[in-house]
Amino acid sequence: MNRMFAVSKYEYKMQIKRIAGWLVLLFVLASAMMDSLPTTENLKRVEFLYDIHYYVRRIFSFDGLILLFALMFLMAGRLVGDRKTGCRDLFMAAPIKKGSYIGGKLLGNFLYALSLMYLLLAAAMVGFVIFSHSETPPIDYISAFFEVSIYIILPATFFVTASSVMLPEIMDIRLFYLVFSVLFLVNAFSSDTGTAAPFYIFTQGDLAKMIWQHPRWPMIYLGSAALNLLFMLGVGGLSIVLVACKRRFWRAA
């Protein structure tokens, strides 16, 4: 366990130092603030911005999706890169087991992605406090924080992290980029409707609707939301299992 945490610490430090991640976060934060802050001008465009639950759902349905898309490229190939550069040989030379290596790589990148996602959430909430024209009880901030965490941030970040770190070890990384770029584009162009959303809409799907429902479409499709969650957790978990079961990945026991 200690060795897994050592690998995750190394991975986290390597990722958090990358300037590209911070530049993307700044871009996404600027975009989110211009588009979603509950200013007078924005409220003329989007009447629901006064509601903290709608606000956080909007931030992470759109701007959070952009951040996850960028993180996909920053995290993809972390295992493949170790193999190509010989870093994996150094890990194998140490008394580290395959499970500790894979777990450490996954945990380090997951914590890195969560760090940027929660920095976006913290900045967004501070902006709401400053610019909100309505009285919002503290309990609403707390519930919005936990709901967006449970229904979007945690499952979507796990899905993107596990897929990005693991799948390029199983398939050609160019094919991975192609498939997941199409998936992100489909998510980006999806919108609220009165019908159940496809299970693969992972930031705007029916699971996310449990944070806030549009007055025109107040229905919650629990079955579709469950499929949405199963898709994210299932694909992420399957990605880990495929790498863990891959032959010739690690030294002979």
Side-chain angles (χ1 to χ4, degrees), residues 185-196:
L185 283 173
V186 171
N187 274 263
F189 286 104
S190 65
S191 59
D192 270 340
T193 65
T195 59

Side-chain angles (χ1 to χ4, degrees), residues 4 32 48 53 75 84 89 99 103 139 142 145 147 150 165-167 195 221 226 238:
M4 186 187 76
F48 305 115
H53 293 86
M75 295 185 294
K84 291 182 176 179
D89 293 332
I139 189 65
I142 296 172
F145 176 89
E147 287 173 5
I150 294 169
V165 175
M166 300 296 163
L167 286 182
T195 59
Y221 297 95
L238 179 62

Side-chain angles (χ1 to χ4, degrees), residues 100-145:
S100 296
Y101 172 75
I102 293 174
K105 285 286 183 177
L106 177 66
L107 180 60
N109 281 280
F110 182 61
L111 293 176
Y112 164 66
L114 281 184
S115 296
L116 298 193
M117 293 289 277
Y118 276 110
L119 282 173
L120 175 60
L121 177 58
M125 283 195 153
V126 169
F128 187 89
V129 171
I130 295 173
F131 288 92
S132 178
H133 296 280
S134 60
E135 294 274 340
T136 302
I139 189 65
D140 284 355
Y141 287 101
I142 296 172
S143 65
F145 176 89

